[in-house]
């Protein structure tokens, strides 16, 4: 079965076609980064307007890229949340009407859990999986116990990891988005010249905290340290925190692999060093191809297919859920 | 264009869908007051309306929806669905400027001012001259403005003006303060969008007005950033 995935939760308009085996036939992402750059962040009304302009052509291009006829689509999967309400509703309304028009089943998908499933494009899921999703909007440590069952083990208590990268990049005068810029400049820096404080976990909790690191990085920079050294130290501190939390989870759950997904997983330094650190524990790092780390619709289709196979069907009254409580896939 | 048309309106708190014949005759309509529930209820309402009319989705010849002005989120929900129906069913789809379509629905000749409540005392409003079954003539172009100021301008015309749209309900007391104001229907009907599109398709000069892009009338507010 071929699934059409649709994603409009933030600032990327995306559509993809994925087979039941998890093979990506076509994937198109229309980015709005240029549009929001001038405002230094995503403006919800601007994003929603652009989604409406781009979605239909994006779906058409994805179908063309896949080289299939629309009659070969057997399922529609759409992001139902979390995300920006106005943006989500464009994708949701399109997906509902498209499924109705073609007489297809529809499933609603949790965007954050879907990030983890990007690692299973062309690969099998072996439940239970341990997954760290880190992006500009979310930092969540999950235990995936089935397509309909994702348990939150820990989450950021303040800024998301990707948000911290953006803010540090801005403080260092590097620009937006911060992730790739910090990674690039950190290669020239010495992480030991001005190390940032270790963020100790709260007793018994696997929660994260990144806003302190952002402030500390800013102070080092204002105290005269070079941006490359501060960036390198910041990356080391993020890595240390991710490692301390995931090590506990791995031990507690006896996990044999860790899925690392979301926009922050496109950071080559973090990927490589995490893999190195986990190898001696007999734990394999599984990450999506770089271009499926950031927002895309292939991950939506991948989780949609798993949900459908587990018997999930969206109710006729499916609505956007900008904030998903309790946390459901 | 042989076959029935599906029409729907998501520009206000009333969600409305209708099926009309190619001659404009009403086959079925469903309207519900559904504030903040348009994205949940639009497709179920369309299904309900088609079932009432006894029409299968595959028999539809065209679809039409309100492209604005109105609630920004509401317009996007309607237009995203309209584009998906066009892509999924392979039928033509028409985004209809809602205020002129409302004016076109009036049988009586004269000045017609469709006005949609935009909170506080603002309204999305315009003025049309309606007559002889022709397409309405635009006298004041659609805009978002204070209703009192709009009425002040209309008063200078010294002619009766028929108000339509939910501003009639929301701002009754304001409108009743103006002697020239006549109060018409507060709730616009989805079928009127389709009838306007059926007529407008024949007039090359305004065919462009039937785009599926939203008519917001205002750039997005990005203040405070
Ligand atoms: Zn994301």
């Amino acid at each position: 079965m071929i699934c059409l995935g649709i994603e409009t939760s933030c600032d990327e308009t995306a559509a993809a076609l994925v087979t039941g085996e998890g093979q990506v036939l076509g994937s198109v992402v229309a980015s709005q980064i240029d549009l929001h750059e001038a405002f230094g962040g995503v403006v919800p009304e601007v994003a929603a307007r652009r989604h409406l302009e781009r979605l239909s052509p994006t779906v058409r291009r994805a179908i063309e890229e896949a080289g299939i006829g629309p009659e070969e689509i057997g399922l529609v999967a759409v992001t139902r949340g979390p995300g920006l309400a106005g943006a989500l509703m464009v994708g949701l309304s399109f997906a509902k009407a498209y499924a109705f028009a073609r007489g297809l089943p529809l499933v609603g998908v949790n965007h954050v859990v879907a990030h983890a499933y990007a690692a299973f494009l062309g690969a099998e899921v072996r439940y239970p999986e341990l997954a760290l999703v880190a992006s500009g909007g979310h930092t969540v440590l999950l235990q995936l116990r089935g397509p309909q069952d994702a348990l939150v083990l820990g989450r950021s208590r303040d800024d998301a990891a990707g948000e911290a990268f953006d803010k540090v990049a801005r403080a260092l005068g590097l620009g937006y988005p911060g992730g790739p810029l910090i990674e690039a400049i950190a290669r020239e820096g010495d992480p030991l010249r001005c190390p940032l404080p270790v963020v100790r976990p709260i007793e018994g909790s696997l929660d994260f905290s990144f806003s302190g690191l952002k402030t500390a990085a800013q102070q080092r920079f204002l105290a005269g340290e070079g941006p490359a050294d501060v960036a390198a130290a910041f990356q080391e501190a993020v890595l240390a925190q991710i490692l301390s939390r995931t090590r506990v989870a791995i031990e507690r759950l006896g996990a044999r692999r860790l899925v690392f997904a979301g926009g922050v997983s496109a950071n080559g330094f973090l990927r490589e060093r995490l893999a190195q650190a986990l190898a001696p524990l007999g734990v394999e790092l599984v990450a999506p191809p770089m271009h499926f780390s950031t927002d895309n619709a292939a991950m939506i289709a991948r989780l949609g297919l798993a949900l459908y196979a587990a018997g999930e069907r969206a109710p006729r009254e499916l609505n956007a859920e900008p904030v998903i409580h309790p946390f459901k896939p | 264009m042989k076959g029935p048309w599906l029409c729907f309106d998501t520009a206000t708190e009333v969600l409305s869908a209708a099926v009309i014949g190619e001659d404009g005759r009403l086959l079925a309509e469903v309207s519900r007051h559904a504030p903040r529930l348009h994205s949940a209820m639009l497709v179920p309402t369309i299904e309900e309306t088609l079932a009432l009319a006894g029409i299968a989705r595959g028999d539809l010849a065209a679809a039409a929806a309100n492209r604005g002005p109105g609630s920004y989120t509401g317009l996007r929900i309607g237009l995203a669905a309209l584009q998906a129906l066009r892509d999924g069913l392979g039928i033509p789809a028409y985004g209809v400027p809602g205020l002129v379509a409302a004016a076109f629905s009036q049988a009586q000749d004269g000045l017609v001012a469709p006005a949609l409540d935009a909170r506080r005392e603002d309204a999305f409003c315009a003025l049309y001259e309606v007559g002889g079954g022709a397409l309405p003539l635009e006298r004041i172009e659609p805009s978002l403005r204070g209703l009192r100021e709009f009425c002040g301008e209309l008063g200078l015309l010294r002619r009766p003006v028929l108000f339509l749209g939910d501003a009639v309900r929301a701002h009754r007391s304001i409108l009743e303060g103006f002697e020239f104001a006549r109060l018409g229907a507060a709730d616009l009907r989805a079928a009127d969008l389709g009838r306007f599109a059926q007529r407008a398709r024949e007039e090359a000069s305004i065919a462009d007005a039937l785009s599926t892009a939203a008519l917001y009338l205002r750039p997005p507010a990005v203040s405070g950033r």
Side-chain angles (χ1 to χ4, degrees):
Chain A
M1 172 188 277
I2 296 173
C3 176
L4 167 65
I6 290 174
E7 153 64 34
T8 62
S9 67
C10 190
D11 60 348
E12 318 275 11
T13 312
L17 292 127
V18 175
T19 69
E21 291 75 45
Q23 189 199 346
V24 182
L25 301 178
S27 172
V28 176
V29 179
S31 174
Q32 302 182 359
I33 282 186
D34 53 334
L35 196 63
H36 300 285
E37 215 172 1
F39 307 113
V42 179
V43 183
E45 176 65 20
V46 173
R49 290 185 181 196
R50 185 58 71 91
H51 283 306
L52 179 66
E53 291 164 17
R54 292 285 175 84
L55 183 53
S56 166
T58 299
V59 169
R60 201 171 316 136
R61 271 178 56 210
I63 293 173
E64 276 168 26
E65 191 180 298
I68 61 163
E71 68 286 348
E72 291 178 71
I73 299 170
L75 175 67
V76 180
V78 63
T79 304
R80 65 169 214 281
L84 303 169
L88 286 167
M89 283 185 205
V90 172
L92 196 83
S93 191
F94 187 97
K96 287 179 77 170
Y98 193 84
F100 165 70
R102 303 219 53 93
L104 297 173
L106 175 75
V107 289
V109 168
N110 179 315
H111 174 93
V112 177
V113 179
H115 265 301
Y117 278 75
F120 306 124
L121 287 164
E124 229 180 293
V125 196
R126 299 196 294 259
Y127 299 111
E129 298 272 8
L130 181 64
L132 174 67
V133 176
S135 69
H138 309 276
T139 302
V140 194
L141 191 57
L142 296 167
Q143 190 190 24
L144 308 175
R145 302 191 290 195
Q148 291 158 306
D149 186 3
L151 181 72
V152 177
L153 304 171
R155 60 189 350 156
S156 177
R157 298 205 166 185
D158 38 58
D159 292 352
E163 195 181 350
F165 269 90
D166 283 339
K167 286 179 175 171
V168 169
R170 201 177 309 156
L172 300 180
L174 299 177
Y176 174 88
L181 296 166
I182 297 244
E183 186 185 359
I185 195 173
R187 275 189 220 113
E188 321 296 326
D190 174 3
L192 300 177
R193 232 190 91 79
C194 55
L196 302 190
V198 176
V199 182
R200 303 222 170 273
I202 297 143
E203 194 70 45
S205 159
L206 290 174
D207 283 353
F208 299 83
S209 169
F210 293 102
S211 74
L213 286 183
K214 168 199 72 190
T215 313
Q218 193 165 16
Q219 283 165 354
R220 300 287 196 279
F221 179 62
L222 292 175
E225 302 291 350
D229 293 337
V230 175
F234 171 72
Q235 283 198 147
E236 283 291 345
V238 170
L239 173 72
Q241 189 176 160
I242 289 176
L243 262 174
S244 78
R245 308 302 192 268
T246 51
R247 270 205 190 107
V248 175
I250 285 165
E251 203 170 302
R252 214 183 268 175
L253 302 169
R256 303 310 307 274
R257 51 184 200 174
L258 172 71
V259 173
F260 181 37
V264 175
S265 76
N267 182 300
F269 166 84
L270 289 177
R271 253 188 208 214
E272 201 175 306
R273 291 284 303 277
L274 258 180
Q276 278 170 16
L278 295 179
L281 307 175
V283 174
E284 181 197 358
L285 187 78
V286 188
M290 291 289 188
H291 57 284
F292 290 133
S293 286
T294 45
D295 286 355
N296 65 85
M299 68 188 199
I300 304 300
R302 177 66 180 85
L303 175 53
L305 284 157
L307 285 166
Y308 181 78
E312 181 91 15
R313 304 289 184 275
R316 282 154 41 95
E317 296 79 16
L318 179 72
N319 204 351
E321 292 181 72
V323 180
I324 299 186
H325 285 306
F327 197 80
K328 294 172 296 185
Chain B
M1 205 158 300
K2 293 259 174 285
W5 285 46
L6 171 68
C7 320
F8 47 94
D9 188 354
T10 51
T12 68
E13 290 192 345
V14 175
L15 169 62
S16 161
V19 180
I20 60 174
E22 64 202 64
D23 55 359
R25 149 180 78 99
L26 182 70
L27 301 179
E29 75 178 341
V30 174
S31 292
R32 46 170 43 111
H33 185 243
R36 287 180 302 281
L37 281 177
H38 289 11
S39 74
M41 296 311 297
L42 174 58
V43 171
T45 303
I46 288 172
E47 289 189 61
E48 204 177 327
T49 312
L50 286 171
L52 266 179
I55 301 286
R57 62 178 189 276
D59 296 334
L60 289 172
N66 196 339
R67 64 179 291 225
S71 146
Y72 297 161
T73 303
L75 295 178
R76 282 191 288 265
I77 289 167
L79 292 168
L82 181 68
Q83 294 177 10
L85 292 168
R86 173 195 64 200
D87 297 354
L89 292 170
I91 57 174
Y94 304 101
V96 178
L99 299 184
V100 63
F104 182 62
S105 73
Q106 288 312 299
Q108 247 187 332
D109 294 359
L111 290 176
V112 179
L116 300 181
D117 175 31
R119 267 168 271 153
R120 267 165 281 164
E121 288 187 357
D122 289 343
F124 293 107
C125 50
L127 182 72
Y128 300 95
E129 181 89 48
V130 172
L135 286 172
L137 207 66
E138 184 180 284
R139 295 285 301 271
I140 299 177
E141 67 171 2
S143 65
L144 173 58
R145 58 197 289 198
L147 192 57
R148 284 180 199 278
E149 174 212 311
F150 179 59
C151 288
E153 195 176 327
L154 298 185
L156 304 175
L157 301 170
R158 304 185 179 285
R159 285 175 59 188
V161 176
L162 175 68
F163 282 85
L164 300 173
D166 65 5
V168 168
R169 185 169 40 234
H171 301 301
R172 185 173 204 98
S173 58
I174 296 179
L175 295 175
E176 281 176 345
F178 292 90
E179 210 206 321
F180 63 84
R182 309 280 177 273
L183 304 191
D187 298 312
L188 307 177
R189 299 176 71 172
D192 293 329
L193 299 169
R195 292 188 188 114
F196 179 85
Q198 288 178 337
R199 178 61 193 281
R201 278 177 58 239
E202 298 158 11
E203 315 251 339
S205 60
I206 65 157
D208 284 354
L210 300 179
S211 134
T212 60
L215 279 175
Y216 297 106
L217 302 188
R218 277 277 168 98
V222 293
S223 55
R225 289 264 175 183

